[in-house]
Amino acid sequence: MDEQAFCEVLKSVLAPDNDTLQRATHTLQTEYYKNPESLPLLVKIVQSHPDQALRQLAAVEARTLVPKFWGIRNNAPSKLPDNVKLQIKEALLQSATQDTVPLIRHSAARVVSAIAKIELPVGLWQELPNILTQAAGSQKAEDREVATYILYTLLDTLEEQIASRWSDFLQLFNRSINDPESMQVRLNTLLALGKLSEILNSDEHPQAIDALKALVPAMVAVLKQVAEDGDEEKSNNAFEVFQMLLIVDPAITSSHFRDLVQFFSDLSVTKNLDDDVRAKALSFLLSCMRYKKMKIQALRVGESLTLRAMEIVTEFKELEDSDEMTPSRTALQLLDYMAAALPPSQVVVPLLNALPSYTNHADPEFRKAGILALGHCVEGAPDFVVTQLHTVFPVVLQLLNDPEARVRQASLEALMQLADDLHEELGKEHARLVPILIHMLDSPDGPEVWRRACNAIDALLVGVEQEDVQVYLPTLIPKLSAMFQKDDFKLKAAAVGGIGSTALAAKESFTPYFQEMMHGLSPYVSLKHSEEELDLRGIVIDCMGSIAEAVGLQAFTPYVEPLMHSAEESLHLGHPRMKETSFMFFATIAKIYGEEFRPFLEGTTRALFESLSQPETDDFEDGEIAAKIVSLGMGGQKIDVSGSVVQMGGDDDDDDDEEEDKWEELTSVSAVAFEKEVAAETLGEILSHCKHAYIPYLEKTVEILKEKANHQYEGVRKAAISTLWRAYATLWQVCEEKGMQKWQKGLPLKVHPTVELQKLGSVVTEATIENLKTETDRATVTTIFQNIAETLKMCGPAILSDADGTTILEVTTQIVLTLSKQHPAQLDDADDEDLPELQESSEFDWMLVDSSMDVLLGLAVALGPQYSDVWKIVSQPLVKYASSSEPRERSTSIGVIADSIKFMENAVTAHTDKLLKLLVHRISDEDQDTKANAAYALGLLCYFSEDRQTILSQYNNVLQKLERFLTRNADDNPRLLDNAAGCIARMIMASPESVPLGDVLPALATVLPLTEDFEENEPVYKMLVKLYQASNQTVFGMTQQFIPIFDKVLAPEPADQLNDETRGELIELIKFLGSKEPGLIQNYPGLVQLAQ
């Protein structure tokens, strides 16, 4: 190979003009880089050429050619003689330590690393680690820098050697982490220690972990120095080490964890540091919430982090959408995540306590920060925030009318977030909110405020009743239409969203505006010439789906064909969200059309199946990507060369290609995976609404979703398993409509499902149980539990039936794990150390436990008295929640216990003593919901238990406790009164002789008819009927008092006061009483009519 000619071509890559660069790149790839001699020539240029830019380029190119010509890997033959390889290695080591340019030393070191990664695993170049160790102790800082850097890059490959020589390496790093001269040595050591933390663990290397633990303070000192120096690249690398420490052996950081949280918290509020450093410090705290949530909660640092985050949000200068992660944006993310991850007492309570000092501050930036912080916390703790609306809502109103436009803008943002999560409660305040929002659409504040006002309208109207919305339509529709006519695409999109929400809330009241609105929107469903147009097109299609729901099938039919065509075309436009928008539109139309969606099923299912079956990574031939990328590592400019990229970057621009490939693969998978999640959800919507019409596509659906139940992205797993359960429930409905007998409680099955249902049930349970055993995503487990519960209630026990009882045992096991907070989805702290038992739960955590309790209810419904076998397994962890410090947990668990008794019926007898003691105690609970549920449960226990001696021993005690509830008090929960009445009625039915009816019935009559919990009407009126049937003199003596009550409870309104059976029994009683004494009912026309 002509060395001079090669050198000249290589120089041409550095030429400033594009044509020369393109020709040179092509020549290198097609002529020189196919020849193994190009590698030693490049190394020679690195070692001796006077042009430093050319030396740097040669080093970068050499690194890309090493895997191609070196051989060994995968038994590939070497294309270079051994003596040439030896010369290359010696020359590179010399350049790495002796070149006068740091960047070239660094690049040469990376070539050394590339060779070592090939040779060391197969026993070659074994002297290199010792050479590097010696160099790391050199008197020359340059040698130490290169040595520690190469050691760092090799640590992945050297795993086995390090495991046996960790003492030598840690002894070296113990010195180099405190290098007195070179910041680069200290940083390289920090990175190397980060790699070591991935390799070592407490089980196999306990002493090494202790040594690593001792180095954490020195590692923090390096990060602190790097952060203060303001070198973004170096600080990025340093921060990544500490992110990694959160997911490796927890013993490394356990004793330092509080200090680490404090250190990163301090960094985040240090304003003289670079914004990127502060944002990364906050990102570390976010990762702590993700990986060490339980430890954060146990340390009770949530309050201090909340207050500091609020302080940082005061620096938020611009509200415009941006991908730039500033400290203030990241602080809002942290607040959002903390509100979901930690109990309200650690985040939302301190935020609300601090809120007045922000919202009443003279500085508008503080007022803005306060309302933004509030908005970002509501999603994580909506149940708690709703209890505080009496203090929160006046603040929102106050700041919506703030004199500063930026504060009003932030208030609109917060109102939108509040309405998204508390739409029913905020909807009740429409009279005070909607006029303000309409007024803002007329304000001179400009597009940003108008856009957020539209967004707030979009979110708010979801919770407003139809009769209230229609009052606003004559004003609101023209205002939103005017916003839609503006040139700003984002404003147009927000206005369309507002129109869609308005239509959905208005229902058929929207009809007068329907034709004109469709005429105005229709041109936008064919936009496709820019990203903005495609964004708007998707939102318009979504809006039209909402309008279709509002006006109904008949009115919308003329528009369906062209809109379905537009949605199908949108699938092929390459826009990241157009597919998802189209899928959701398909689901909306299927919901409206039901079985009549049949003509569209072929096309929609094909598109959804294709989406779910598409590959998620791009496969390239080896070297194909590398051939398109030449990284020079100097300057700062990128030049497009016919699909190739020549990048002029800093000294880390030639970062490890494998890591870059992994990152690119991850991001591409996420985009496609999100589409698959929406596709799976859409299939569930369509099949559940189309029912019979969908059956031809069901087998293919199940086949695809069964595979996706193991997808690497939790959203796809969740959607796939959920849709499988919906498919089972839908097929069950179809089979029942075709004549399959209604299911009956208990196992073995008394009614056998069809063969198709049995096959589908096996697929569903297998996919579900396989997932539940290992699933780490809480939302996925929660959704799976919810699906199991609903299906059991609707379809009965058939899906639990198998030859050996494995299914029901596995489901029960997962419930017990969840109730005990030992499910994989709850163990996000991998700490070996024991954490104190946490007395509070975040709302997100509680949703998972609550959903597992819902499965218990589903099992009780499906199994009936046989549920007592399940109760023996689950009762202990469930009953623990009845003694929780959290009212929500006590009331829910007592409610589940009540329903368990209801469906166990007489089988509850064996558990009478324990349950009676618990319920009698809880009927005096300070929480009214818990008291109400305890009253309900006690009544059921008294009614069903056959252990009469135990039950009757507490009758007087229970009646005394219930007596207080039989008086209407404005502060009382209405359910408490109704459940107390139901409890007394059941006690009377069970043992009328043990109740002083002369005292109890008059007190009970004062609270009838019940107004809240109509379910409790059943025991009350059945009890009265039984007493009449038994000729009880007390009840006969009160007939005049009961007749007006009977008249009200048998009246048409309110509906559903009585079930059919109880209503029939009560009518028979009226007929009997009327026949015995006609004058009793003559003043009650309704009763007279019923008695005829």
Side-chain angles (χ1 to χ4, degrees), residues 293-294 340 383 718 771-772 774-789 811 814-828 841-856 878 881 888-889 892 896:
K293 180 188 75 68
M294 292 171 67
D383 292 345
K718 177 175 67 175
N771 175 280
L772 282 178
T774 57
E775 183 59 69
T776 58
D777 180 64
R778 289 175 209 197
T780 299
V781 179
T782 300
T783 302
I784 290 173
F785 278 155
Q786 290 166 344
N787 277 280
I788 296 173
V811 170
Q814 298 308 314
I815 293 171
V816 170
L817 285 172
T818 305
L819 292 174
S820 306
K821 299 184 178 179
Q822 294 299 309
H823 191 278
Q826 296 164 302
L827 300 176
D828 46 7
S841 300
S842 71
E843 291 184 18
F844 186 50
D845 291 336
W846 175 245
M847 283 176 63
L848 174 54
V849 175
D850 187 45
S851 67
S852 73
M853 292 185 185
D854 201 26
V855 179
L856 291 181
L878 175 64
Y881 286 91
R888 168 186 60 194
E889 297 184 3
T892 305
V896 173

Side-chain angles (χ1 to χ4, degrees), residues 855-912:
V855 179
L856 291 181
L857 176 54
L859 288 168
V861 171
L863 296 174
Q866 284 181 318
Y867 176 70
S868 61
D869 294 329
V870 174
W871 180 257
K872 294 172 187 175
I873 301 172
V874 304
S875 59
Q876 184 176 350
L878 175 64
V879 166
K880 281 185 69 176
Y881 286 91
S883 301
S884 167
S885 61
E886 291 272 307
R888 168 186 60 194
E889 297 184 3
R890 295 198 304 276
S891 65
T892 305
S893 60
I894 295 294
V896 173
I897 289 168
D899 284 322
S900 297
I901 296 169
K902 175 182 176 180
F903 291 102
M904 278 193 284
E905 299 177 354
N906 295 345
V908 77
T909 301
H911 313 289
T912 300

Side-chain angles (χ1 to χ4, degrees), residues 365 676 1092:
E365 295 302 331
K676 291 186 176 184
Q1092 291 174 353

Side-chain angles (χ1 to χ4, degrees), residues 46 310 335 338 380 393 490 528 562 618 622 629-630 652 761-762:
V46 172
M310 291 180 73
L335 285 170
M338 284 198 300
F393 187 66
K490 289 183 178 179
K528 55 185 173 184
D618 293 319
D622 289 343
I629 301 175
V630 182
D652 279 324
S762 296

Side-chain angles (χ1 to χ4, degrees), residues 149-169:
Y149 179 77
I150 296 176
L151 280 173
Y152 154 61
T153 62
L154 292 178
L155 283 177
D156 281 336
T157 306
L158 289 169
E159 182 170 341
E160 290 186 8
Q161 295 185 37
I162 287 170
S164 59
R165 294 184 53 187
W166 62 263
S167 180
D168 295 338
F169 286 103

Side-chain angles (χ1 to χ4, degrees), residues 726-772:
R726 293 182 76 171
Y728 181 85
T730 299
L731 183 59
W732 188 280
Q733 287 179 290
V734 168
C735 291
E736 280 193 339
E737 289 169 9
K738 287 183 176 180
M740 187 178 75
Q741 191 177 344
K742 174 73 177 172
W743 64 269
Q744 296 179 34
K745 292 182 285 189
L747 293 172
L749 296 177
K750 301 176 182 65
V751 176
H752 290 275
T754 65
V755 174
E756 292 79 12
L757 272 168
Q758 291 177 39
K759 289 179 180 178
L760 178 54
S762 296
V763 171
V764 174
T765 53
E766 181 182 343
T768 299
I769 290 169
E770 183 181 347
N771 175 280
L772 282 178

Side-chain angles (χ1 to χ4, degrees), residues 206-232:
Q207 292 176 306
I209 294 299
D210 288 341
L212 270 174
K213 186 191 304 185
L215 287 170
V216 170
M219 296 167 71
V220 171
V222 174
L223 173 61
K224 185 173 185 291
Q225 184 61 57
V226 169
E228 290 173 351
D229 289 347
D231 188 318
E232 184 176 343

